[in-house]
Amino acid sequence: MGRSPCCEKAHINKGAWTKEEDQQLVAYIKAHGEGCWRSLPKAAGLLRCGKSCRLRWINYLRPGLKRGNFTEEEDELIIKLHGLVGNKWSLIAGRLPGRTDNEIKNYWNTHIKRKLMSRGLDPKTHLPIGGVPSHRQGIPMAADEAVKPNDMAEDGHSSVTSMDEERCPDLNLDLTISLHGCAPKPPTAEAATPASGPACAQLICLCYHLGLQTSEACSCQASPDLQHVLRFYRPLEEGQ
DNA sequence: AATGACGTCAACCGCCAGAGT
DNA sequence: AACTCTGGCGGTTGACGTCAT
């Protein structure tokens, strides 16, 4: 079959972006919005491939990006999230506002790996190097046994099982999303109580509890006021 | 001052999933 | 059903800066 490349190789700039290119890209996206990256370069008058434009925008030009050093809190959050989901940088980035997957990936490879090793932990498994697998309390799940890509819901978020919560009590991986006009609620005890207002009765909860074959884990289903809640579970696979 | 080693990070590459035809 | 297109992701590369000798 064969797939045409995302861009013609000829007449395409590669390498570092110039200020002028950045300005062109920003101006175009401000005027026309994101979308159709393939045709964007031509429309914006850029000699770049669409992928390159997208990457530049996502990783560097997009408003709201935090530049600069990661805080200690961000460090710890990245470590915890990596322990849960492995190298799913986009998922991790989704939990760190203003940070990009590329930035986190680089930061992981350059800083956090070393940090974990200096703690005597294997950055891949989060277990003590040459470690004792029996001691799992408080140690995040190994990346290899972490949530698989298809364990994630469509919106790219994962929920937290009670086990996860035990490991990382301060970690919010709640999957709950809402229809337009109804903000998602945090997975607190309050959130588990019947929501108020008709809009929240349409809440779509994509609670996604690993290893659950039945729906008992989602507290929102227990509430008769949340009868319009839709839920999604991944069936258990063999060996789980 | 020169230069080689090392660290950082922006950007590229290849693959995949999902939507469209 | 088969194929194509597009967006998105993770892994890798290479240019550049900094440090050590």
Side-chain angles (χ1 to χ4, degrees):
Chain A
M1 98 184 145
R3 219 174 107 182
S4 64
C6 78
C7 53
E8 298 297 330
K9 296 289 178 188
H11 312 301
I12 287 295
N13 288 345
K14 290 177 88 171
W17 280 64
T18 64
K19 274 188 178 177
E20 290 71 28
E21 286 176 315
D22 281 349
Q23 284 167 1
Q24 270 179 277
L25 181 58
V26 169
Y28 182 85
I29 291 177
K30 275 185 179 169
H32 301 93
E34 291 180 48
C36 199
W37 294 107
R38 188 181 169 86
S39 59
L40 185 148
K42 199 177 176 184
L46 286 161
L47 292 175
R48 292 276 178 175
C49 86
K51 269 188 170 185
S52 181
C53 293
R54 178 184 160 271
L55 218 60
R56 183 66 180 170
W57 173 254
I58 298 278
N59 288 332
Y60 203 82
L61 300 172
R62 188 163 45 112
L65 288 179
K66 275 187 205 171
R67 311 297 307 176
N69 295 338
F70 283 73
T71 65
E72 195 60 34
E73 289 73 31
E74 285 175 316
D75 273 21
E76 293 306 318
L77 185 54
I78 291 169
I79 291 169
K80 283 177 181 175
L81 288 165
H82 185 273
L84 285 167
V85 304
N87 293 2
K88 299 295 161 196
W89 306 116
S90 58
L91 278 177
I92 295 171
R95 292 287 159 181
L96 285 139
R99 301 293 187 186
T100 69
D101 53 358
N102 204 37
E103 195 179 10
I104 293 170
K105 180 172 58 182
N106 282 332
Y107 188 65
W108 175 270
N109 287 323
T110 55
H111 292 87
I112 300 187
K113 260 186 180 176
R114 226 173 301 150
K115 187 172 180 174
L116 284 180
M117 285 195 276
S118 73
R119 291 179 184 175
L121 297 173
D122 183 337
K124 259 192 175 175
T125 64
H126 295 250
L127 294 171
I129 292 168
V132 192
S134 59
H135 179 60
R136 297 298 299 269
Q137 283 288 355
I139 299 174
M141 187 188 297
D144 289 344
E145 52 184 320
V147 183
K148 294 174 187 142
N150 59 352
D151 291 336
M152 297 301 157
E154 297 165 73
D155 68 343
H157 292 100
S158 166
S159 69
V160 179
T161 65
S162 56
M163 269 179 63
D164 295 330
E165 284 169 1
E166 280 172 27
R167 283 196 298 269
C168 310
D170 55 335
L171 187 59
N172 174 9
L173 286 175
D174 179 45
L175 239 191
T176 304
I177 62 170
S178 64
L179 293 172
H180 181 68
C182 180
K185 300 225 168 198
T188 60
E190 288 165 348
T193 60
S196 59
C200 288
Q202 296 178 10
L203 188 72
I204 296 178
C205 170
L206 292 176
C207 295
Y208 195 84
H209 293 264
L210 293 175
L212 291 173
Q213 287 179 306
T214 61
S215 55
E216 73 272 16
C218 182
S219 56
C220 57
Q221 194 199 38
S223 167
D225 292 334
L226 294 177
Q227 53 192 305
H228 295 108
V229 163
L230 302 176
R231 298 143 57 73
F232 172 64
Y233 290 98
R234 168 177 154 272
L236 274 177
E237 291 173 8
E238 285 205 14
Q240 286 188 317

